[in-house]
Amino acid sequence: KIVIGPVLELAKPIAFAGGEFRPFVELRGGIETLARVGADVWIGGTHPFAMMARDPSSGFRNGIGRTTSQTNAIGFVLGADHTYVASSYLFPTSHRAVMEKTRTRARFGVMAQREAYGIFAGWTWVSPEFKGQDPKGQVLGSVRFFWNF
């Protein structure tokens, strides 16, 4: 089954010396219909990407397109969000697994860029998504390499 749905994220970046605080609200429809509120803190000067898109699983913002003029950067990101899930195709009512109505994520990542090359590594803790899942939740790992040419 193909499911297409809109995603809307509203955010207010607030710059501070050496970084940025970015609270956000997200509304998502489609495979899961949800509302999410959270914030990210970027530490390390100006973020080297001109445009960003949020990964739906880990919550990290991924750089897309060309980078800004900053060519050498090291930065850290801390973030968290809380989600209310109204419905999910992943947990149909006929299935044994019963979806949790709320979810929480906390994340930490580090990015290093040198000239046209870079790497990002991050970890996200995700609370249980369905009843009966390990109450400790799970940890997701994220790795991204980039090369501008």
Side-chain angles (χ1 to χ4, degrees), residues 20 48 58-59 83 101 103-104 111 118-119 124:
E20 177 183 86
S58 68
T83 305
K101 286 290 199 180
R103 301 178 189 157
T104 302
M111 191 272 317
I119 184 170
T124 303

Side-chain angles (χ1 to χ4, degrees), residues 75-128:
F76 303 91
V77 64
L78 297 165
D81 54 63
H82 188 71
T83 305
Y84 171 77
V85 184
S87 65
S88 174
Y89 280 98
L90 304 174
F91 297 99
T93 54
S94 61
H95 197 274
R96 287 182 27 224
V98 177
M99 171 187 78
E100 293 284 358
K101 286 290 199 180
T102 61
R103 301 178 189 157
T104 302
R105 298 186 297 197
R107 54 194 164 272
F108 168 77
V110 62
M111 191 272 317
Q113 179 177 343
R114 175 102 177 136
E115 302 299 328
Y117 307 94
I119 184 170
F120 172 85
W123 298 267
T124 303
W125 172 81
V126 182
S127 68

Side-chain angles (χ1 to χ4, degrees), residues 63-81:
I64 55 177
R66 296 256 182 221
T67 61
T68 61
S69 60
Q70 184 171 346
T71 57
N72 296 316
I74 294 179
F76 303 91
V77 64
L78 297 165
D81 54 63

